Amino acid sequence: MTRRLELPIGLLMSQGGSYEAVSRVMHAGAKLAIEEINASPTQSVNITPVSIDPAGVLSNYVEGARCLLQEHGLKHVVGCYTSSSRKEVLPLFEKADALLWYPSHYEGFETSENVVYSGAGPNQHIVPLTRHLLKQFGTRGWMVGSNYIWAWENNRILREAIAASGGVVLGERYFPVGEIDLSDVVSQIIEDRPDFVFTTLIGQSGFAFLKMLRSAAEAVGIDQPAEMPAASCSLSEAELPMLGDAAAGHLSSSVYFSTIASKENRRFVALWNDRFGQMGQASADAEAAYLAVHLLARAAERAGGTGFEAVREAVRDLTFTAPQGQVTVDGDNLHCWMRPRIGRSRSDGSFDILVEHPVALRPDPYLTWAHDVHEGDSRNLRLIQ
């Protein structure tokens, strides 16, 4: 038997903090991929992970990255959930000639030769969702988010699209990550009665907001999911159990839902349910981390080694059949070609897929060639009957 290539990697993912529901399933998705790769008779790498838990504290990500890169001497780390944490650790990866495998959807407007992005970029989540909202619900929007770059950039894209469509942003508010005192903004939204609410609140803030919005709407006789839907580019299966009776009826734009009807996804869901089913249904966050580890392993195999430059060059144009479908790493910007989908949450903790793009879209992190998002053009999205 041929000796396997040893591939030590870091896992920099929080197991506590305000967004632990998401970061814990990301960690589980990475572990699932590691176990699968190490047990496979057809793969030639053996992965040894070193895990660090930043507990949702921004400064801990920096210390964790420094430990993995300098003390452990690692060249590959899968981790970070928020863009704030990614941007904080990036200089360390640049200095160490190392790769961060970033398994999260994000707002874009960044490329780095030290990052492989295995989550969706802006033309694969906010642009399709913007078109859907403006076409299906109207042009009067309310935006509420956590006070960092993820919310700022997504809201900017939506704000410009609403203005170009002749609509109006009725309100826009930002809160610290983890803030749950949101009663005033909910009251204002109910009073304004927008056509839709776009939320970029994360973690506990998002859970509190959606439950309060549903309760306040019901109190005044508003069918909130039908008349004033809440839409997001991050709400996933991992978070729906946190919403209790308010779990159903929310819109989410994502490249992965556990209800994708494909052979590969059914296999992935079965593996997930057997190993981590106690954490809820498989989600985009788990799948993106699972994908990142598999891409890393395939790139190391292709490179015949684990060095920074060799693996980075080997991952360019690499294709992998993921649970979401075929994914290809773009050779120019190290983002992934992915297939946008929009889902509506159900009370059982999953999503009905409403629309999906027929093929994977080329990643456009700077939105330099995306169609105008205010067109309301649904030509590239297919309605699921």
Side-chain angles (χ1 to χ4, degrees), residues 21-77:
V22 172
S23 54
R24 287 179 68 246
V25 300
M26 289 175 67
H27 189 266
K31 287 178 62 178
L32 187 64
I34 292 168
E35 293 170 1
E36 186 177 43
I37 291 164
N38 288 349
S40 173
T42 63
Q43 297 206 247
S44 60
V45 300
N46 185 73
I47 299 176
T48 304
V50 179
S51 294
I52 288 184
D53 172 16
V57 178
L58 189 58
S59 60
N60 289 349
Y61 281 93
V62 176
E63 291 307 311
R66 182 177 290 113
C67 177
L68 292 170
L69 297 175
Q70 297 179 5
E71 296 181 22
H72 291 275
L74 301 180
K75 290 298 180 182
H76 303 282
V77 176

Side-chain angles (χ1 to χ4, degrees), residues 165-383:
S165 298
V168 60
V169 175
L170 299 176
E172 183 173 355
R173 290 282 305 279
Y174 297 93
F175 297 89
V177 173
E179 178 62 68
I180 59 174
D181 183 8
L182 304 168
S183 57
D184 287 347
V185 72
V186 168
S187 296
Q188 188 62 56
I189 290 171
I190 294 297
E191 181 178 336
D192 290 343
R193 302 268 181 119
D195 296 325
F196 61 86
V197 179
F198 179 58
T199 170
T200 44
L201 292 163
I202 66 168
Q204 295 295 332
S205 301
F207 310 150
F209 174 75
L210 291 175
K211 289 190 287 187
M212 293 170 68
L213 181 66
R214 179 65 56 84
S215 177
E218 289 178 346
V220 295
I222 296 176
D223 183 351
Q224 182 260 312
E227 301 175 42
M228 197 170 60
S232 168
C233 292
S234 60
L235 185 66
S236 71
E237 291 89 342
E239 299 170 296
L240 293 181
M242 313 297 172
L243 301 181
D245 293 339
H250 308 296
L251 299 175
S252 184
S253 182
S254 180
V255 294
Y256 177 82
F257 293 107
S258 63
T259 46
I260 292 173
S262 70
K263 178 180 178 181
E264 185 58 34
N265 186 52
R266 286 191 290 270
R267 188 191 70 83
F268 173 70
V269 168
L271 288 172
W272 175 267
N273 289 342
D274 181 63
R275 184 69 174 83
F276 297 110
Q278 73 278 7
M279 300 177 73
Q281 301 194 41
S283 67
D285 310 290
E287 197 259 1
Y290 174 88
L291 170 60
V293 173
H294 271 285
L295 289 174
L296 171 52
R298 297 294 178 91
E301 285 181 328
R302 178 188 274 190
T306 63
F308 161 64
E309 290 187 2
V311 172
R312 182 183 62 188
E313 295 312 303
V315 82
R316 298 186 194 275
D317 302 313
L318 184 65
T319 294
F320 177 70
T321 302
Q324 65 178 270
Q326 183 169 289
V327 171
T328 301
V329 180
D330 190 82
D332 292 330
N333 59 38
L334 297 180
H335 292 64
C336 291
W337 292 61
M338 293 180 166
R339 186 177 177 182
R341 296 175 171 92
I342 296 172
R344 182 172 55 220
S345 62
R346 305 193 309 213
S347 59
D348 67 357
S350 65
F351 287 83
D352 289 317
I353 300 175
L354 304 179
V355 291
E356 62 182 4
H357 199 277
V359 296
L361 285 184
R362 179 185 180 188
D364 183 10
Y366 292 97
L367 297 182
T368 55
W369 60 79
H371 294 299
D372 290 340
V373 297
H374 65 270
E375 290 179 345
D377 185 354
S378 61
R379 289 173 295 177
N380 292 330
L381 287 175
R382 179 166 61 88
L383 179 66

